Amino acid sequence: MRLIGAGLLLLLPLMAVSLGVGAARIDLGAVLTDPWATLVMTESRLPRTLAVVLTGAALAVAGVVLQALVRNRFVGPETTGTAESAALGLLAITILAPTAPIWIKMGAAAISAMAGTAIFIWIIRRLPPREVMLVPVAGIVLSGVISAVVTFVGWQTDMLQYVGTWLMTGEFSGVIAGRYELLWIAAAAAVLAWFAADRFAILGLGDSVATGLGLSPKAVLRMGLAVVSVVTAMTITTVGMIPFVGLVVPNIVARLMGDDLRASLPVVAIWGAALLMACDLIGRLVIFPYEIPVGTVLGVLGAGIFLWLLYRRPARATA
Amino acid sequence: MIEISGVNYSIGGAQILRDISASLPKGKLTALIGPNGAGKSTLLRLIGRLEPLQSGRISLDGMDIRQTPTEALALKMAILGQQTHIVSRLRLRELVRFGRWPHHRGRPCACDHTAVEEALDAFELQPLATRFLDEVSGGQAQRAHLAMTFAQCTDWLLLDEPLNNLDMAHSRALMARLAEMVAGTGKSVVTVVHEVNYAAAWADHIVALKDGAIMAQGAPDEVLTEACLSALYDTPVTIANHNGRPLVLHHA
Amino acid sequence: MQLPEISRQNLILLTGLTLLLAAFSALWMLQGLPPEGNRSFILKLRWTKLAGLIVVGAATGIATVLFQTVAGNRVLTPSIMGFDSLYVLLQTSLVMMLGIAGVAALPVGEKFLLEVGVMTLLACILFGTLLGRGARDIPRTILTGVILGILFRSLNSFLGRVIDPIEFAVVQQNSMASFSRIDANLLPYGLGLALLAMVGAMLLASRLDVLGLGREVAVSLGLRHERVVILTLALVAVLVAIPTALVGPITFFGLLVAGMTHGLAQTARHAILLPAAGLIAATMLVAGQLLFERVMGQAAFLSVIIEFAGGLFFMYLLLKGRIR
């Protein structure tokens, strides 16, 4: 509970700052009276702040779920080929059915993300069981291979520009009302994960333990895959690739409060939101009024935290 | 003679060796014995400059191992560590050839060739000489490593648990060969042995380590006593006599 | 070291590779040459590109074999460990310190040599610490390198944005590999440095053979392990900087080449491995570029295809259990 409180204490002021910062100067006190201020607030500032919070929370939760499925702490949705697979699916549907409605495109991205993650899990189940560190390496290489395919296809079909926005570093500067609502679906998937938290925690202990406790490992695996894929696909298509949130936040929370997922998932969500909010603010303020994409900020900060985690905990620590 | 004085060694706050002073006689087979984690291997690796010396002094035939160039040391002593995985894909003969490297440093001559073939003969490796290292058994690979160390033709041989992976016959043959070498050619051997009876049967000098300190050192008769070994291994043992050498009994 | 039965086989291999490279090079120079007109101009253009491809290939191949020997591992490559990202970051930092105009005012050659010098220093410090004592926990070392790569790339784009949010794209161009854009001004410097580094590597060949036995055996044979490691890492840094400056970072090419080299040359002798790796890599690039540029008319794809094939090869090694 204390961690939730601390997280909120961090997150809420950050959100307030986020509402106040932007290229357009508005008087926060006059939001309700000044129509211009109201417009900026409801069309741009609020959607952006909400988008950051939803993305951060959902990605962090997806990271926890993925780590339980893979039984390895050193993976996140962006290091398992999930994000690149989502982009591949999106690219395929855009080529095959350019006029398809948005929900079909999202569905294609999510299904493709699921397939990519399933391939990853298939691969790592064939690795020697004790090679903890090879799992993320395999994931990063798989991401590279899929991303080469996406680039190749994008090139061939003159769609490299779209591909660029999905695979390059994510940013929230384009978020306005009407262009971020898909993220609510990601948040819903994260809530679903909380309801199934015990199942993921048990699966994290191993297939035989899960079976022994009367759970079907395959069913839990499928549900977990669905959560991770939906979150990743929605994030990728709305704001692009956001690295390290799903990787470092679950690690830090697990270090502080262990792996009781039902208790820790809300904490993970809040801290994920706070981390992303903080990074987004850094990106917005460093070269104000220009912006550094949040993905870039996280790439630097997240990699630093990750290296610290890598050398702090004993090398063999698995999920 | 190897002279060790005031050697301390610690890894990350854990004291592995404390104030070790000893001298290992030249022209003798010296065995380092002691329970797991006593620091035997560490001491051997320090002598063989595989680990950097933290404090104290070690000298080999009067040469300070910290001052003497590593190339010169390689002509005086050969050390065989516990087997590690070798990435290079090598045939056994190629591995043994590396034992001559300190002598020719890249430009071998006929005498190097002879030494390699002798070492291969000595360890019965001729039939396997063209096999790759990753295609032979652990024991065969161990013999190949030993042959490489022999091919180095040094006055001193330092061996870290050379009997690992070897069956009874090859273990016995190795110890007999070491003893013969010491007696016949005046070479000196220092070896870590896990099984105390190999030390009892072949060693001329024994150093017993426990918890990073020397508990006893001297001739086998002086060290391999019931009181000393029982305390060393925290296990009651009986010493019998077999063909004029002590035999340590500790089963039931 | 005389190895009669193997060395004949390797002689055939090296000769064959040299002939193959010569054949592709001739084809590259002469294929589809117009009977008259701008022949000399076209030849000059083609020559520049050919030389560039060969330098890039040979440097990458040799750097990878060297690095794998130092790391004691057949999966680590300088690119996977973030060497080329470090170089790109260095280029951006230079812009940061001197300003875009300041860098533009520097003579191309001096700037390149400066970058290579700093790169060598940094790489020796960073990777010397990481690998100096023969990387005990190899998977963690790989992961560290991969993450360092991400860190360098992110820092690079971070700096890029800070320097100039609008002209960001210009800086960013450095981080994409393209074999079509070989800087002719840089080529003489690259060629010279690469030759020097290759001679240095060949002089170390016998010591590298010993280094390949692992730290312990090497030290016991009287090799000055730390010194050879640092020297080799310095050579690797130079050999990575050259292709990165000429065409940009290519992640998996080195892995592909090193895998093929160790597969084709059944020996652990660097006197054979190093030239073989250089020849294989150069041949692959010349043949590949010939295929994509002349036959398929799509020059830009080569780097993408190489990344794809290299990545798949890595996965294959991983699943075969060859990566440990």
Side-chain angles (χ1 to χ4, degrees):
Chain A
M1 274 337 261
R2 261 189 312 154
L3 286 170
I4 293 187
L8 285 176
L9 222 57
L10 200 67
L11 177 59
L12 293 176
L14 284 171
M15 287 173 71
V17 175
S18 167
L19 289 176
V21 172
R25 276 165 191 260
I26 54 166
D27 181 2
L28 280 184
V31 164
L32 293 176
T33 50
D34 178 1
W36 164 242
T38 316
L39 188 70
V40 169
M41 191 51 79
T42 55
E43 290 296 304
S44 166
R45 298 277 172 84
L46 191 64
R48 178 173 191 156
T49 306
L50 280 177
V52 171
V53 169
L54 292 177
T55 308
L59 276 178
V61 169
V64 174
V65 173
L66 193 62
Q67 287 166 14
L69 298 186
V70 176
R71 286 175 211 131
N72 186 302
R73 283 212 193 284
F74 296 123
V75 298
E78 73 288 343
T79 58
T80 51
T82 312
E84 287 78 5
S85 304
L88 186 61
L90 201 58
L91 186 65
I93 194 81
T94 314
I95 292 166
L96 296 176
T99 54
I102 184 81
W103 59 270
I104 293 212
K105 289 187 176 174
M106 293 298 128
I111 289 171
S112 166
M114 209 179 297
T117 319
I119 291 176
F120 171 72
I121 291 180
W122 180 84
I123 288 173
I124 59 137
R125 292 266 157 105
R126 265 147 202 82
L127 289 179
R130 297 175 63 208
E131 299 291 6
V132 180
M133 303 287 172
L134 282 183
V135 170
V137 174
I140 290 167
V141 175
L142 180 67
S143 308
V145 170
I146 299 176
S147 133
V149 174
V150 174
T151 314
F152 184 78
V153 175
W155 213 317
Q156 284 284 26
T157 52
D158 252 348
M159 303 227 305
L160 211 54
Q161 205 188 336
Y162 293 97
V163 174
T165 56
W166 299 326
L167 288 188
M168 291 296 145
T169 42
E171 55 181 327
F172 290 90
S173 60
V175 169
I176 50 169
R179 298 245 325 248
Y180 83 102
E181 282 74 4
L182 283 167
L183 292 172
W184 286 105
I185 301 178
V191 172
L192 183 78
W194 183 68
F195 280 112
D198 292 340
R199 289 158 197 254
F200 295 131
I202 290 170
L203 191 69
L205 301 177
D207 281 0
S208 46
V209 176
T211 312
L213 292 172
L215 274 181
S216 154
K218 285 213 169 111
V220 183
L221 186 67
R222 273 197 294 270
M223 182 164 55
L225 277 179
V227 168
V228 174
S229 308
V230 166
V231 170
T232 312
M234 298 307 139
T235 321
I236 283 284
T237 49
T238 325
V239 293
M241 184 90 78
I242 312 272
F244 286 113
V245 175
L247 196 59
V248 297
V249 175
N251 270 292
I252 293 171
V253 173
R255 177 186 288 277
L256 293 175
M257 61 182 293
D259 280 323
D260 177 9
L261 294 190
R262 185 173 290 282
S264 70
L265 273 185
V267 180
V268 166
I270 288 170
W271 281 89
L275 175 66
L276 194 61
M277 195 77 251
C279 289
D280 187 49
L281 277 173
I282 294 175
R284 281 152 80 178
L285 292 173
V286 169
I287 49 169
F288 187 83
Y290 298 107
E291 285 198 16
I292 293 170
V294 69
T296 303
V297 179
L298 262 171
V300 178
L301 219 66
I305 301 176
F306 187 79
L307 285 177
W308 174 74
L309 287 172
L310 198 58
Y311 283 89
R312 268 297 302 275
R313 66 171 49 246
R316 60 181 188 291
T318 35
Chain B
M1 180 148 81
I2 292 177
E3 293 197 72
I4 305 162
S5 60
V7 168
N8 285 286
Y9 192 80
S10 53
I11 303 173
Q15 186 96 10
I16 309 292
L17 292 175
R18 53 192 93 221
D19 199 25
I20 301 277
S21 292
S23 60
L24 311 180
K26 197 173 169 70
K28 293 276 162 62
L29 200 169
T30 302
L32 302 180
I33 61 168
N36 293 337
K40 313 181 289 284
S41 291
T42 308
L43 182 58
L44 193 81
R45 293 168 62 84
L46 284 174
I47 301 171
R49 46 89 171 88
L50 293 183
E51 308 290 344
L53 203 53
Q54 290 173 346
S55 72
R57 185 174 179 277
I58 296 178
S59 69
L60 179 122
D61 291 345
M63 304 188 297
D64 188 317
I65 60 149
R66 261 201 290 211
Q67 311 293 332
T68 314
T70 183
E71 296 91 337
L73 284 176
L75 295 172
K76 278 296 204 174
M77 70 174 168
I79 174 160
L80 177 64
Q82 292 192 22
Q83 238 188 78
T84 44
H85 175 70
I86 290 187
V87 186
S88 298
R89 199 168 144 78
L90 292 173
R91 295 170 201 277
L92 295 199
R93 179 175 279 121
E94 294 172 316
L95 178 73
V96 177
R97 277 191 181 131
F98 278 109
R100 300 302 302 166
W101 195 81
H103 299 270
H104 62 66
R105 298 189 73 82
R107 288 183 200 76
C109 65
C111 61
D112 294 313
H113 185 70
T114 321
V116 169
E117 295 310 311
E118 276 172 15
L120 284 169
D121 286 332
F123 287 90
E124 301 165 40
L125 289 168
Q126 285 293 0
L128 302 169
T130 55
R131 296 265 289 276
F132 280 105
L133 203 53
D134 51 9
E135 291 168 354
V136 298
S137 76
Q140 289 163 338
Q142 175 73 354
R143 272 153 54 204
H145 277 93
L146 281 163
M148 173 177 70
T149 314
F150 271 64
Q152 211 170 324
C153 296
T154 49
D155 289 349
W156 286 86
L157 268 181
L158 312 181
L159 306 170
D160 193 356
E161 303 212 10
L163 305 179
N164 269 356
N165 286 322
L166 294 188
D167 60 29
M168 200 205 295
H170 280 110
S171 296
R172 190 184 175 285
L174 174 64
M175 292 308 286
R177 166 161 287 275
L178 292 175
E180 180 195 302
M181 237 173 53
V182 166
T185 61
K187 289 189 191 265
S188 321
V189 175
V190 181
T191 175
V192 172
V193 282
H194 207 64
E195 167 54 55
V196 69
N197 274 320
Y198 282 108
W202 308 101
D204 305 314
H205 185 82
I206 292 180
V207 176
L209 284 139
K210 187 180 187 184
D211 296 331
I214 291 181
M215 213 176 119
Q217 52 182 326
D221 293 336
E222 298 163 30
V223 178
L224 301 180
T225 61
E226 289 182 358
C228 176
L229 285 185
S230 300
L232 184 66
Y233 290 100
D234 291 321
T235 306
V237 300
T238 314
I239 307 284
N241 191 296
H242 180 69
N243 293 345
R245 307 274 311 191
L247 179 66
V248 182
L249 302 170
H250 51 86
H251 301 285
Chain C
M1 233 175 279
Q2 292 298 309
L3 302 170
E5 77 276 39
I6 305 171
S7 88
R8 200 170 134 253
Q9 191 187 335
N10 283 326
L11 198 69
I12 295 172
L13 177 77
L14 289 182
T15 321
L17 285 171
T18 314
L19 290 177
L20 204 62
L21 178 60
F24 277 118
S25 304
L27 201 59
W28 170 270
M29 292 300 288
L30 302 175
Q31 183 266 336
L33 207 60
E36 63 232 36
N38 272 342
R39 289 185 64 139
S40 65
F41 174 73
I42 293 180
L43 277 177
K44 186 159 176 280
L45 211 64
R46 286 186 174 187
W47 169 248
T48 307
K49 209 161 181 181
L50 177 68
L53 286 172
I54 292 178
V55 169
V56 166
T60 311
I62 292 175
T64 310
V65 170
L66 288 176
F67 188 75
Q68 292 191 340
T69 298
V70 174
N73 181 284
R74 287 286 163 78
V75 189
L76 293 177
T77 71
S79 313
I80 293 178
M81 295 296 291
F83 263 68
D84 45 8
S85 321
L86 179 63
Y87 183 72
V88 174
L89 175 61
L90 211 68
Q91 287 178 318
T92 313
S93 312
L94 198 65
V95 176
M96 175 102 180
M97 280 184 280
L98 301 180
I100 295 177
V103 169
L106 273 184
V108 170
E110 273 80 347
K111 172 172 164 282
F112 179 59
L113 293 180
L114 178 70
E115 283 168 355
V116 170
V118 179
M119 162 82 181
T120 308
L121 197 68
L122 281 181
C124 285
I125 296 170
L126 193 60
F127 296 97
T129 328
L130 214 53
L131 301 167
R133 307 207 60 207
R136 295 266 163 81
D137 187 350
I138 287 167
R140 180 157 80 168
T141 311
I142 305 183
L143 190 55
T144 308
V146 172
I147 299 296
L148 280 178
I150 299 179
L151 179 66
F152 295 151
R153 274 192 292 280
S154 303
L155 262 176
N156 183 53
S157 43
F158 192 92
L159 288 185
R161 298 264 180 178
V162 172
I163 293 169
D164 194 338
I166 301 165
E167 299 276 318
F168 175 65
V170 182
V171 181
Q172 208 51 7
Q173 244 178 20
N174 288 337
S175 55
M176 292 277 278
S178 161
F179 291 107
S180 318
R181 140 185 92 82
I182 288 170
D183 191 341
N185 296 324
L186 219 53
L187 195 55
Y189 294 93
L191 195 67
L193 264 186
L195 279 177
L196 274 181
M198 285 172 199
V199 170
M202 286 308 280
L203 287 178
L204 278 180
S206 161
R207 287 184 174 78
L208 289 166
D209 293 344
V210 178
L211 192 65
L213 301 174
R215 176 178 175 272
E216 247 174 53
V217 179
V219 171
S220 129
L221 292 176
L223 185 79
R224 295 185 178 239
H225 183 264
E226 252 95 292
R227 188 198 281 183
V228 176
V229 164
I230 291 294
L231 264 176
T232 315
L233 281 175
L235 289 176
V236 171
V238 172
L239 286 172
V240 170
I242 295 163
T244 315
L246 286 175
V247 299
I250 4 170
T251 312
F252 291 117
F253 180 52
L255 183 72
L256 207 58
V257 173
M260 285 181 67
T261 306
H262 286 296
L264 285 174
Q266 287 286 338
T267 175
R269 294 179 53 203
H270 286 77
I272 311 266
L273 285 175
L274 294 174
L279 286 168
I280 290 172
T283 311
M284 275 172 75
L285 281 191
V286 175
Q289 192 71 7
L290 196 64
L291 181 72
F292 280 94
E293 194 176 310
R294 306 280 173 79
V295 181
M296 293 166 62
Q298 286 167 317
F301 284 162
L302 182 59
S303 58
V304 179
I305 295 290
I306 285 176
E307 295 299 77
F308 182 67
L312 284 185
F313 181 66
F314 186 93
M315 294 308 246
Y316 163 80
L317 287 179
L318 203 65
L319 286 176
K320 288 276 285 184
R322 295 279 292 280
I323 298 179
R324 253 165 294 148

